Amino acid sequence: MIVYPNAKLNLGLFVTGRRSDGYHLLETAFLPIPLCDTLELELTDAAEDELIVTGGVETGALQDNLVLCAVRALRQLCSFPSVRLRLTKQIPSGAGMGGGSADASFTLTAINELCSLSLSTEELEAVALTLGADCPIFVRNQPAVGRGIGEVLTPLALDLKGYHLTIVKPPIHISTAEAFRGLLPLKPVATPIEELVARPVVEWRDCLFNDFEPSLFPHHPVLSEIKDELYALGADFALMTGSGAALYALSRQPLQLDSLRRADYFLYEGKL
């Protein structure tokens, strides 16, 4: 079986509070996008599961990869044969696009189908949550508003068909821990994010923000420079996604990206 775990963007990201256990509360709109890894799965009679990762994207220690973590988590609920997995990475790591989370959740849904485990969507989302707060979004893999720590999902009617998507990631890695440590004092969210994303995209610049930008941009000025450049090139809306370090732009026409084409930048251009 071959599946294609896709990335996501955050259309606005507001940090609204903090739980007693230290986890921050969020309000965001998740948008799945057509930038994908490739995951091949094959059942085997080997003694152990096997994972091969290719693509040149740094993913850390193999045994800690969320794909294998997903297999192990699923084995806590169900019995199934050993699995050989081959993951070809296209989604950059440390980008705020949920690449590792998507790989994990697609592993869950693929094995559920491949092995006829008959787990419900809700059961798969519960397993996904044990792997990471933004893993559940990739089970249904549809636009949704996320609240709580990102796991309380509400379907979102959103039509961006025809918009061009540009993603730029400079060669810096921002850990989630670093991003949360530097958060500035929180401000209340006056308008539900459902109402904000219902406005025309050209108005998003004035109402959709990422609460990580004010603290991260001074430490990583290149992020602010890229965002400014995307607007200068004609973007209708530009924002950092997640806790960085990728920025994206939505535009009616493709952007002329010559000024951003550098050997050490990740660039993606596509259409929604």
Side-chain angles (χ1 to χ4, degrees):
M1 175 183 283
I2 302 178
V3 294
Y4 300 93
N6 55 268
K8 58 81 179 170
L9 298 177
N10 294 89
L11 305 179
L13 199 168
F14 302 102
V15 183
T16 59
R18 193 170 187 176
R19 301 193 316 195
S20 58
D21 60 5
Y23 280 95
H24 286 80
L25 301 173
L26 310 174
E27 185 167 324
T28 188
F30 290 113
L31 177 69
I33 60 171
L35 168 60
C36 303
D37 292 336
T38 301
L39 179 63
E40 303 173 59
L41 305 93
E42 178 186 4
L43 300 180
T44 75
D45 56 4
E48 297 181 348
D49 301 307
E50 178 186 5
L51 172 64
I52 300 170
V53 180
T54 62
V57 174
E58 176 56 46
T59 57
L62 195 63
Q63 287 302 310
D64 296 332
N65 191 287
L66 280 175
V67 167
L68 283 180
C69 292
V71 176
R72 291 194 289 264
L74 207 51
R75 290 197 186 282
Q76 299 298 311
L77 294 179
C78 307
S79 176
F80 52 91
S82 295
V83 187
R84 180 180 296 119
L85 308 108
R86 184 180 183 91
L87 176 64
T88 304
K89 292 293 297 179
Q90 295 292 333
I91 304 169
S93 61
M97 291 192 287
S101 298
D103 297 336
S105 291
F106 272 70
T107 299
L108 297 177
T109 55
I111 292 177
N112 187 49
E113 179 181 348
L114 187 62
C115 298
S116 301
L117 302 181
S118 300
L119 294 173
S120 68
T121 299
E122 291 77 15
E123 288 173 314
L124 290 169
E125 287 175 337
V127 177
L129 182 58
T130 68
L131 301 169
D134 61 352
C135 289
I137 182 62
F138 294 104
V139 174
R140 298 178 197 256
N141 204 34
Q142 298 173 344
V145 168
R147 291 190 172 91
I149 59 174
E151 89 290 7
V152 181
L153 301 172
T154 306
L156 178 65
L158 185 65
D159 183 11
L160 295 174
K161 187 176 181 180
Y163 270 93
H164 290 267
L165 170 64
T166 303
I167 299 172
V168 185
K169 181 189 178 291
I172 59 177
H173 182 100
I174 299 173
S175 71
T176 303
E178 173 193 352
F180 277 104
R181 273 198 308 269
L183 272 175
L184 299 181
L186 307 178
K187 299 178 181 179
V189 178
T191 305
I193 200 165
E194 292 94 335
E195 297 181 25
L196 300 180
V197 297
R199 299 177 184 178
V201 172
V202 292
E203 297 181 13
W204 287 2
R205 184 174 184 175
D206 299 320
C207 65
L208 280 180
F209 308 105
N210 183 328
D211 281 348
F212 290 109
E213 287 188 355
S215 58
L216 290 178
F217 279 13
H219 291 285
H220 304 282
V222 65
L223 299 176
S224 178
E225 293 167 7
I226 290 172
K227 184 176 179 180
D228 290 343
E229 182 67 12
L230 290 170
Y231 274 124
L233 292 171
D236 290 337
F237 180 66
L239 198 70
M240 187 177 74
T241 184
S243 55
L247 296 103
Y248 67 91
L250 302 176
S251 57
R252 283 296 188 183
Q253 302 295 329
L255 302 183
Q256 299 300 318
L257 298 174
D258 291 347
S259 59
L260 291 170
R261 295 191 189 280
R262 303 183 186 179
D264 56 351
Y265 277 18
F266 171 87
L267 282 181
Y268 171 86
E269 300 171 82
K271 200 170 184 179
L272 295 174

